[in-house]
Amino acid sequence: MFYLREEDVGQNRAEATLPRLAELNAYVAVSSTRQPLSQDLLAPFQVVVLTNSSLEEQLWVGDFCHSHGIKLVVADTRGLFGQLFCDFGDDMVVTDTNGEQPLSAMVSMVTKGCPGEVTCLDEARHGFETGDFVTFTEVEGMEELNGCGPVEIRVLGPYTFSIGDTSGFGDYVRGGIVTQVKMPKHIRFKRLREALAEPELMITDFGKAERPPIMHWGWQALHRFIRQHGRPPRPRHQGDAAEVVALTREVAPGAELDQDLLRELAFQATGDLAPVNAFIGGLAAQEVMKAVSGKFTPITQWLYFDALECLPEENKETVLSEEQCRPRNSRYDGQIAVFGAELQAKLGAQKYFVVGAGAIGCELLKNFAMVGLGCGPEGCVTVTDMDTIEKSNLNRQFLFRPWDVTKLKSERAAAAVREMNPALQVSSRPDRVGPDTERVYDDDFFEALDGVANALDNVDARLYMDRRCVYYRKPLLESGTLGTKGNVQVVIPFLSESYSSSQDPPEKAIPICTLKNFPNAIEHTLQWARDEFEGLFKQPAENVNQYLTWVSGVGGGTQQPPCTPPIAPTLHGTPRTPCMAPTLPGTPRTPYIAPISLKTNSGTLFWSGPKRCPHPLVFDPDNPLHLDYVMAAANLFAQSYGIGGSRDRGAVAELLRHVRVPPFAPKAGVRIHVSDQELQSTTTVGATVGGFGATYGCWRYLGGLEKRGEYGVEAPMGADDGRLEELKASLPSPEELPGFRMFPIDFEKDDDTNFHMDFIVAASNLRAENYDIPPADRHKSKLIAGKIIPAIATTTGAVVGLACLELYKLVQGHRRLGSYKNAFLNLALPFVGFSEPLACPRNKYYEVEWTLWDRFEVQGLQPDGQEMTLRQFLAYFKKEHRLEITMLSQGVSMLYSFFMPAAKLRERHDQPMTEIVARVSKKKVGRHVKALVFELCCNDDTDADIEVPYVRYTIR
């Protein structure tokens, strides 16, 4: 148990655990007792969880709980084996089976008939399934559908479904939104005694689909053995294992048994592995949450798990002898019982790098401390994270406590696991991994490692660490979670593909024309508000600062200052007090250009389908939402200019009552783009409008300049060259503004005092009001606009448990790809699945096979101590590899190409390679760099292009 420490040895486990458990959440009351289980003790509880209990105890507790409406979870682990059982009563009501957001689609037609057929817009598939229930809103004509109770559907196609009898309804005219409704699902559970005889088994690994029934019988035989002998079978004891096999035959007479599987169950009966406990414990905890909340589908009813691939690939009987696995009065005896003492020594000598100390990082470090990774005199674990602990982290990053808030995650996580296992050689760093810190995490650092474990929350950092692991040929444990979903990927040098080899599909983007002209969901207005935030409070300030720091003559030429239009209003506008009222997010121009009765060339109404007709807003200083917008925007403008703000809502409201808002007057000649394709066709105008309108935001009065239409493209000021030159001439030169700078604002969602989310919520909801879109409260807005990734401790525990099972294989040096497992789970469904990692793709030039793990090794320093020149480099590949280099690059720098001007080629031919790199990249090669990476384009003997590995060019 991760709550126990060295000083707890000899104490009652529950009592020793209690104070540390209570630290995790002061709002949860916890208590312990030494009383034996009894009906009176169980009666007050909603859920009972049994762990490490006898079968007899499980049976009577199961009978009592089932008959008294108490939910029961039974969890147990034996070495690399795990067992889970759930009984949630005769009528368990599940209110949400999968935890996904209800699907929604726009209606384009509803027929009258029995059944009536609904056709959705063909912009996207509706995603519904037969048996789903839906409701309708905003339907015109067939208004009987609006507000009616959920109706069951039958899917007819990706865009159509039937809904029952609509023959007596009115004629459908237009519009409508159909939304999925989650209906309660009733599940009946058998009591344990019945389920033992007639098991329902959940399959976790379809490559082992035959094993769960055998383990179900074997586990009962194990209980019989313990009852008869008063102890579990001894590690690797042949006689005890044979008896367990015989007892299994009694439990399941006539059944076909896998004797090797049963023998392993007996061999590992005293085994106790932190990763298996984490996996089964994470699943069990999620089942408890399901039992009390009715949210997500429970396991029905038995789950059996094994990870026997973790055992040695070769000579298992020799490596895992009874002597090797005997107890040693060590904290690792439960692990030694499974893997033997030699692996324990190997674990202690490992050097691992944990990148990130958030939810996954905390779980990784806990597991590493428990298994003894880096706990030997030669081992070490390094953890890095530049973030500090926030209060919201405490619900899932359990190494931290309330008094750790504002401190560095890496430091506090290292201190916590050092307390769990004082032998752990752990060091912490606050450095972000990336090109900027390669002086810290240099060649010496990576070459000394045995492996890397990622605990990152973004793809860019994952891709970077993946590249580093491939370059240094280090194994990588990659894992991630998203609410109840999680995955594990293991990257094995020279065996598997890397993380970068395959990519997730890109996140679905909202079309620009939808954001600008036709929003129909709160997600659209929130994204629009986020874009406005960047365009008002970040980009203009960055542009101004760039202009102010611009100098001539850089790099032998003239570097142009930033384009005038984006900075003109910012420099021309006179900073006012923060209560100066910017306008509301925008007055819709579209109704004036396209009235609600407008029809297209085909005769259909323009305002139909996803296009909602907007209406203008009239500014009202007494409207709290209007005041919210002004307060947030004005204070953010003040911050960007470095002047003081005001939080006095009453004073600002009073000032606004005296502000004269001019009446809205639409411009003529404005064109509305109805699709991104149409928008892209106006590239000339669009390019000019680009950063121009976004910068102008709320400066209509402050800068005195016209801006582009919020809902269409107006003729931009910058399109007139004369006006552009006039603006340029009117700008003050950088020398005229000594010491002046602006302060770009980076969006930060978690500080409730900085006005960032205040602006987003107000701007989004005002625009939503323009388009009659239901508003979103602050919590929902923060989730969407802040792109908050759902994270729960149960999924994290289960995922990291599976990742650390792969660690056992890496440390032993498994070389069969089939021994490793990538994992995928969704605890809400519930689903757990495994797959073999994909082999690294193989390429070939001439007769040489290579993969992403291969490269050319070139020694840059010659025997005479001189470095190789470009001429020698090209000749080396021609002679040694029969390759004609046509292009040579390092990073983004082109060092050589066949089309290079002759004069430049003559100049470079006899220069050392590092000198060429320094000249082209304009950066000196750091002393920490041992080798450079070169990318090649080559031709073979037949002058055909061929793909070849990269070059590692060693210079030190």
Side-chain angles (χ1 to χ4, degrees):
M1 296 176 67
F2 70 83
Y3 295 109
L4 302 180
R5 305 292 191 270
E6 297 277 353
E7 62 268 23
D8 297 326
V9 173
Q11 296 185 45
N12 176 273
R13 289 191 296 182
E15 293 171 359
T17 299
L18 185 66
R20 296 186 176 95
L21 181 63
E23 286 176 0
L24 290 176
N25 193 336
Y27 298 102
V28 177
V30 293
S31 60
S32 67
T33 179
R34 293 194 181 194
Q35 296 180 36
L37 281 185
S38 66
Q39 294 184 0
D40 290 341
L41 187 65
L42 299 175
F45 293 99
Q46 289 176 276
V47 185
V48 171
V49 182
L50 295 178
T51 63
N52 197 28
S53 59
S54 67
L55 183 58
E56 291 72 28
E57 183 176 72
Q58 294 172 17
L59 287 169
W60 80 257
V61 170
D63 288 339
F64 176 80
C65 289
H66 192 92
S67 59
H68 287 78
I70 301 171
K71 314 293 195 304
L72 174 67
V73 176
V74 178
D76 201 359
T77 62
R78 301 280 176 174
L80 291 166
F81 293 87
Q83 176 196 57
L84 192 62
F85 170 78
C86 297
D87 172 12
F88 295 165
D90 289 322
D91 187 20
M92 169 69 178
V93 180
V94 178
T95 56
D96 181 355
T97 58
N98 58 20
E100 302 294 334
Q101 288 293 320
L103 298 172
S104 184
M106 294 222 166
V107 177
S108 63
M109 173 57 69
V110 185
T111 65
K112 295 176 71 171
C114 186
E117 294 185 5
V118 178
T119 302
C120 298
L121 291 174
D122 59 5
E123 292 185 339
R125 296 167 180 261
H126 55 62
F128 300 136
E129 297 178 3
T130 296
D132 282 350
F133 285 78
V134 298
T135 57
F136 292 85
T137 55
E138 302 185 24
V139 175
E140 295 185 30
M142 196 177 284
E143 312 225 344
E144 294 88 344
L145 288 175
N146 295 330
C148 72
V151 294
E152 188 173 1
I153 68 168
R154 179 172 173 269
V155 171
L156 304 176
Y159 309 103
T160 58
F161 57 86
S162 62
I163 56 172
D165 190 357
T166 60
S167 55
F169 293 177
D171 292 333
Y172 175 81
V173 175
R174 65 176 174 183
I177 299 173
V178 57
T179 304
Q180 182 185 39
V181 177
K182 300 204 171 186
M183 303 296 288
K185 180 180 179 181
H186 295 258
I187 303 176
R188 179 189 178 277
F189 289 80
K190 302 173 186 173
R191 67 180 66 212
L192 178 62
R193 195 177 299 276
E194 297 173 53
L196 205 61
E198 299 174 351
E200 293 181 57
L201 302 167
M202 175 181 163
I203 305 297
T204 59
D205 189 339
F206 288 94
K208 308 174 182 176
E210 75 287 348
R211 290 189 183 179
I214 300 170
M215 286 192 278
H216 183 71
W217 301 320
W219 221 283
Q220 295 176 60
L222 199 58
H223 281 294
R224 289 191 183 186
F225 182 99
I226 295 170
R227 185 174 69 249
Q228 292 175 9
H229 295 274
R231 61 167 177 83
R234 290 163 286 189
R236 296 287 152 184
H237 192 281
Q238 299 296 335
D240 287 357
E243 188 173 343
V244 169
V245 173
L247 289 170
T248 308
R249 289 198 182 95
E250 294 179 12
V251 172
E256 186 175 343
L257 302 178
D258 182 338
Q259 296 191 33
D260 290 338
L261 179 67
L262 294 170
R263 285 161 57 81
E264 280 298 340
L265 179 61
F267 287 156
Q268 299 183 34
T270 60
D272 192 8
L273 301 177
V276 178
N277 295 339
F279 174 66
I280 295 296
L283 267 61
Q286 188 65 58
E287 293 308 301
V288 172
M289 299 298 292
K290 295 174 185 178
V292 297
S293 68
K295 189 174 178 69
F296 308 148
T297 303
I299 292 173
T300 52
Q301 287 187 262
W302 293 97
L303 179 146
Y304 287 97
F305 170 79
D306 79 85
L308 295 183
E309 304 83 8
C310 294
L311 295 174
E313 289 180 322
E314 306 289 345
N315 304 317
K316 185 168 65 175
E317 298 303 324
T318 304
V319 175
L320 300 181
S321 63
E322 191 173 350
E323 169 58 25
Q324 271 285 316
C325 299
R326 66 173 175 80
R328 285 161 167 75
N329 194 28
S330 156
R331 68 179 294 157
Y332 308 115
D333 275 353
Q335 191 162 263
I336 291 172
V338 177
F339 294 111
E342 287 186 10
L343 178 60
Q344 193 59 54
K346 288 182 180 179
L347 286 165
Q350 292 289 298
K351 298 177 178 65
Y352 255 75
F353 185 27
V354 179
V355 189
I360 289 177
C362 284
E363 277 287 340
L364 282 168
L365 290 169
K366 179 261 288 187
N367 276 273
F368 287 178
M370 295 297 98
V371 305
L373 188 84
C375 293
E378 299 176 359
C380 68
V381 172
T382 303
V383 56
T384 187
D385 198 311
M386 72 289 183
D387 283 348
T388 55
I389 300 162
E390 300 173 2
K391 193 170 184 179
S392 62
N393 298 148
L394 301 180
N395 81 311
R396 62 194 180 279
Q397 299 174 22
F398 68 92
L399 294 183
F400 308 136
R401 300 294 183 269
W403 48 86
D404 293 324
V405 171
T406 73
K407 297 177 183 176
L408 278 170
K409 287 183 177 180
S410 57
E411 289 183 2
R412 298 311 305 152
V417 292
R418 198 179 292 117
E419 186 181 351
M420 290 179 182
N421 189 343
L424 179 62
Q425 308 291 321
V426 59
S427 61
S428 62
R429 297 204 60 89
D431 309 293
R432 181 195 302 268
V433 293
D436 295 341
T437 55
E438 287 180 5
R439 289 180 178 273
V440 177
Y441 306 117
D442 56 12
D443 291 345
D444 290 337
F445 176 82
F446 273 98
E447 286 168 1
L449 293 176
D450 292 296
V452 175
N454 272 353
L456 294 161
D457 61 359
N458 68 88
V459 172
D460 289 341
R462 285 184 166 104
L463 292 171
Y464 174 80
M465 285 308 303
D466 181 67
R467 292 195 298 270
R468 300 298 274 174
C469 288
V470 170
Y471 177 72
Y472 292 104
R473 294 165 170 174
K474 303 298 179 183
L476 172 65
L477 291 172
E478 169 60 53
S479 50
T481 68
L482 181 69
T484 60
K485 301 168 188 162
N487 74 285
V488 174
Q489 180 180 356
V490 56
V491 177
I492 315 106
F494 300 103
L495 280 185
S496 75
E497 67 175 14
S498 73
Y499 174 82
S500 309
S501 299
S502 58
Q503 296 184 7
D504 293 332
E507 184 179 343
K508 187 176 180 181
I510 303 171
I512 295 174
C513 66
T514 300
L515 288 177
K516 293 183 179 297
N517 300 327
F518 308 113
N520 57 66
I522 198 66
E523 288 80 5
H524 302 159
T525 65
L526 282 165
Q527 182 59 56
W528 176 87
R530 280 288 285 111
D531 294 345
E532 284 287 288
F533 187 99
E534 297 291 313
L536 294 174
F537 312 122
K538 183 179 181 182
Q539 293 168 4
E542 288 178 341
N543 290 339
V544 167
N545 289 345
Q546 184 183 353
Y547 171 79
L548 293 174
T549 56
W550 165 77
V551 293
S552 297
V554 177
T558 300
Q559 183 181 13
Q560 292 296 326
C563 177
T564 302
I567 66 169
T570 311
L571 285 178
H572 280 129
T574 304
R576 311 265 181 109
T577 60
C579 16
M580 176 61 194
T583 58
L584 294 182
T587 302
R589 301 176 184 272
T590 38
Y592 299 89
I593 301 158
I596 195 166
S597 59
L598 179 69
K599 292 187 178 181
T600 65
N601 292 337
S602 62
T604 60
L605 286 167
F606 178 84
W607 294 110
S608 61
K611 296 191 286 292
R612 305 168 77 100
C613 186
H615 60 81
L617 303 182
V618 178
F619 179 70
D620 179 3
D622 295 319
N623 185 313
L625 186 58
H626 295 194
L627 186 56
D628 287 346
Y629 179 81
V630 172
M631 288 288 296
N635 275 280
L636 289 168
F637 272 122
Q639 291 174 31
S640 68
Y641 274 98
I643 62 178
S646 172
R647 296 177 182 271
D648 189 337
R649 289 176 65 90
V652 173
E654 182 59 32
L655 180 61
L656 290 175
R657 291 189 183 94
H658 301 285
V659 173
R660 178 183 169 276
V661 179
F664 170 70
K667 276 198 168 186
V670 178
R671 181 180 178 187
I672 301 297
H673 297 298
V674 298
S675 70
D676 280 8
Q677 292 78 10
E678 185 180 323
L679 182 63
Q680 289 168 4
S681 68
T682 57
T683 51
T684 305
V685 174
T688 309
V689 172
F692 188 61
T695 304
Y696 283 6
C698 289
W699 286 90
R700 291 175 224 183
Y701 307 119
L702 299 186
L705 300 172
E706 288 295 334
K707 66 183 288 287
R708 64 171 167 83
E710 290 286 348
Y711 300 81
V713 177
E714 297 180 10
M717 277 177 15
D720 180 73
D721 292 339
R723 178 62 173 145
L724 200 72
E725 292 303 318
E726 181 184 335
L727 277 172
K728 285 184 179 180
S730 69
L731 287 177
S733 68
E735 291 77 13
E736 294 178 65
L737 298 169
F740 177 75
R741 66 185 295 266
M742 293 190 68
F743 302 90
I745 302 175
D746 290 307
F747 178 67
E748 169 52 59
K749 66 183 184 301
D750 292 320
D751 183 353
D752 289 333
T753 66
N754 63 10
F755 290 105
H756 295 198
M757 279 307 304
D758 300 79
F759 176 84
I760 297 297
V761 174
S764 171
N765 284 340
L766 284 168
R767 188 164 173 82
E769 188 178 341
N770 279 146
Y771 286 85
D772 293 317
I773 298 169
D777 61 21
R778 188 183 185 91
H779 176 70
K780 182 176 179 179
S781 299
K782 188 173 181 179
L783 286 175
I784 298 171
K787 296 183 178 179
I788 295 176
I789 298 174
I792 52 178
T794 51
T795 310
T796 307
V799 161
V800 173
L802 295 175
C804 288
L805 288 174
E806 301 307 302
L807 175 70
Y808 287 132
K809 305 168 189 177
L810 292 171
V811 173
Q812 292 174 87
H814 283 16
R815 298 308 302 163
R816 297 175 191 160
L817 196 59
S819 296
Y820 293 92
K821 297 284 186 181
N822 289 342
F824 312 88
L825 56 83
N826 186 341
L827 302 187
L829 295 179
F831 169 80
V832 181
F834 298 91
S835 69
E836 180 181 310
L838 293 177
C840 47
R842 297 193 169 275
N843 304 289
K844 197 172 185 179
Y845 69 92
Y846 297 128
E847 298 306 314
V848 180
E849 273 198 349
W850 62 278
T851 71
L852 62 96
W853 298 98
D854 295 303
R855 62 194 178 208
F856 294 113
E857 295 282 358
V858 177
Q859 183 63 45
L861 290 180
Q862 303 299 291
D864 60 1
Q866 298 299 309
E867 190 193 340
M868 184 181 286
T869 64
L870 175 59
R871 187 190 304 275
Q872 291 170 326
F873 186 89
L874 299 175
Y876 169 84
F877 274 88
K878 185 70 173 176
K879 177 183 178 182
E880 299 295 329
H881 301 288
R882 296 159 52 205
L883 296 172
E884 182 81 34
I885 296 177
T886 56
M887 284 190 286
L888 171 67
S889 63
Q890 191 263 337
V892 296
S893 301
M894 180 65 71
L895 308 181
Y896 164 80
S897 67
F898 69 92
F899 51 80
M900 185 175 285
K904 185 174 287 189
L905 183 58
R906 284 194 299 271
E907 178 187 353
R908 292 187 183 178
H909 251 148
D910 296 316
Q911 290 178 347
M913 297 295 291
T914 53
E915 185 177 328
I916 298 173
V917 169
R919 284 197 174 194
V920 176
S921 67
K922 295 182 173 58
K923 294 179 183 177
K924 290 184 178 180
V925 178
R927 294 182 178 274
H928 65 286
V929 177
K930 288 185 175 181
L932 298 172
V933 173
F934 295 142
E935 299 286 344
L936 307 177
C937 290
C938 295
N939 288 348
D940 61 12
D941 289 339
T942 66
D943 209 29
D945 290 339
I946 55 172
E947 193 173 354
V948 297
Y950 70 93
V951 177
R952 185 176 188 268
Y953 179 81
T954 304
I955 57 176
R956 291 186 177 87

